[in-house]
Amino acid sequence: MKETFYLIDFALQKSGLEHLKDTTQVQYLGEGAWHQAYLVQLSAGEAVVVRFPKQEAYGKKVEFNEAASLAEYAGTKAYYEIANSVKPGICPEFFYYHVENGKTFTVESYAGKALKLESFTFMEAFQAGAEMGEFFRNMNTAQHGLKGFGYLKWNGTVVEGQFQTSVADFMKEENKEYLSDFKDFIQSYDQPILPSAMAHLEECMINRKLDESQIIFTNQDTSPENILLHSDGRVSLIDPVPLLYSGDSLAGNFINNYQTLYPTFFNAPRYAKHQFERFEEKLQTIADGFMEGYCNGDADVKRRVKQEEFIKLTSLAASQLNLLQASELNSEQKIRYGEKAAIANRIPVLVKRIEEFKWEDKKSGTKLA
């Protein structure tokens, strides 16, 4: 604890905050995949969260990588600033980071506790999803000023998208890859799959386009552990994985995660502690709320988001079969996806969801494909 106390004190002072006076100010919050977190109560009354990168993640030693750390933390800072300009208080207002071998840290405002699905009512689940959906929709119009597209990289001065080429050409190639991967999946899977599955995927690609003017600053990681619920029902968002890409694509990703990925990955060590299989209906209710908040009654937007959800679902099934057919899984794959027996049990569930995918808007009965 002495070394940790020193590092926390170093982080607070480096961030322009007060000197740490007593270890009773510090409470261990826990750890995620990549960081350990501590809650620090400042004498001024505010609380902050100090995070340090773990020395080991997904069963492997984490080597210090200055450029990767700068990309991650500068990207988080940029995302928080733009997100708060769109919806004040949706992310921590204060965020400071420092990158140095052995002394890398982030300090941010304490935004509250992660939502607890077991004590979450269905009304609260829908409202939280709707608030997140509305926020994602409004982020689509936010000016970010960042170059390129894709995940972020550090260019030596600022963060930018890892790709600086034509995003229109990139999406064309991505469309071909999705189709090719799912075609290979159908041919390799040992059970017949309804022909309508491939037909629906092909239909999803007909008008799937993106140009530079449509690139928005969005977030890939909105898992329940990164959504914080306030006592008045407001939600906050922390620990993003920001990227520059299509807003509709990431909206579809959100819904696929809550509808399918989290409930079917319950037997993977990465997700086991959350027991998502117990709360499948609530997770789907969050997804329903998100769809309402994001689409705001626009049938064309609903259609695009449903198509993106279906694309993500078919891609998920294809990736799981590839893992199952690999000669062996490494430690990170086992933690993220589970042992091969778990993957083998998951694939038929994904296939069933693909074949029974709902292409109608529940409220209006409108066909979305």
Side-chain angles (χ1 to χ4, degrees), residues 84-188:
N84 284 328
S85 73
V86 168
K87 183 177 176 62
I90 187 69
C91 292
E93 298 284 353
F94 177 82
F95 183 82
Y96 184 91
Y97 66 90
H98 176 76
V99 176
E100 179 183 349
N101 196 3
K103 292 184 177 180
T104 295
F105 67 82
T106 68
V107 178
E108 65 184 50
S109 311
Y110 178 58
K113 296 181 179 180
L115 60 86
K116 300 285 187 185
L117 290 171
E118 62 267 25
S119 57
F120 214 35
T121 68
F122 283 97
M123 177 75 73
E124 288 171 331
F126 187 88
Q127 289 176 339
E131 189 173 342
M132 289 299 300
E134 182 183 21
F135 164 67
F136 263 63
R137 170 165 52 86
N138 291 335
M139 281 290 282
N140 287 350
T141 60
Q143 299 299 309
H144 53 78
L146 298 172
K147 297 179 180 179
F149 64 94
Y151 295 107
L152 302 182
K153 69 175 182 180
W154 182 255
N155 69 8
T157 306
V158 294
V159 288
E160 62 184 15
Q162 68 181 106
F163 301 114
Q164 302 294 319
T165 55
S166 165
V167 70
D169 291 343
F170 181 93
M171 183 165 267
K172 286 179 183 177
E173 291 303 313
E174 184 179 69
N175 292 349
K176 291 178 183 177
E177 188 174 322
Y178 279 134
L179 289 168
S180 175
D181 288 349
F182 191 57
K183 183 177 180 181
D184 290 344
F185 172 79
I186 292 172
Q187 292 173 343
S188 302

Side-chain angles (χ1 to χ4, degrees), residues 3-36:
E3 182 181 354
T4 302
F5 184 87
Y6 164 77
L7 287 172
I8 292 173
D9 187 45
F10 172 79
L12 293 176
Q13 293 189 63
K14 195 80 174 174
S15 305
L17 302 175
E18 66 188 44
H19 172 67
L20 187 62
K21 300 178 179 64
D22 196 303
T23 55
T24 59
Q25 293 176 257
V26 179
Q27 176 187 342
Y28 181 62
L29 279 182
E31 63 179 60
W34 300 98
H35 293 85
Q36 291 180 316

Side-chain angles (χ1 to χ4, degrees), residues 178-243:
Y178 279 134
L179 289 168
S180 175
D181 288 349
F182 191 57
K183 183 177 180 181
D184 290 344
F185 172 79
I186 292 172
Q187 292 173 343
S188 302
Y189 190 54
D190 59 5
Q191 297 294 323
I193 297 175
L194 292 177
S196 58
M198 191 67 196
H200 280 311
L201 186 60
E202 290 171 340
E203 191 172 352
C204 289
M205 301 303 175
I206 293 174
N207 295 310
R208 189 174 189 263
K209 300 174 182 177
L210 188 67
D211 63 41
E212 276 71 18
S213 67
Q214 298 169 307
I215 296 172
I216 63 103
F217 199 28
T218 185
N219 174 20
Q220 188 177 15
D221 191 353
T222 49
S223 63
E225 60 198 329
N226 292 339
I227 298 177
L228 310 180
L229 185 68
H230 298 265
S231 57
D232 61 2
R234 292 179 301 111
V235 296
S236 290
L237 183 62
I238 61 168
D239 206 15
V241 176
L243 72 160

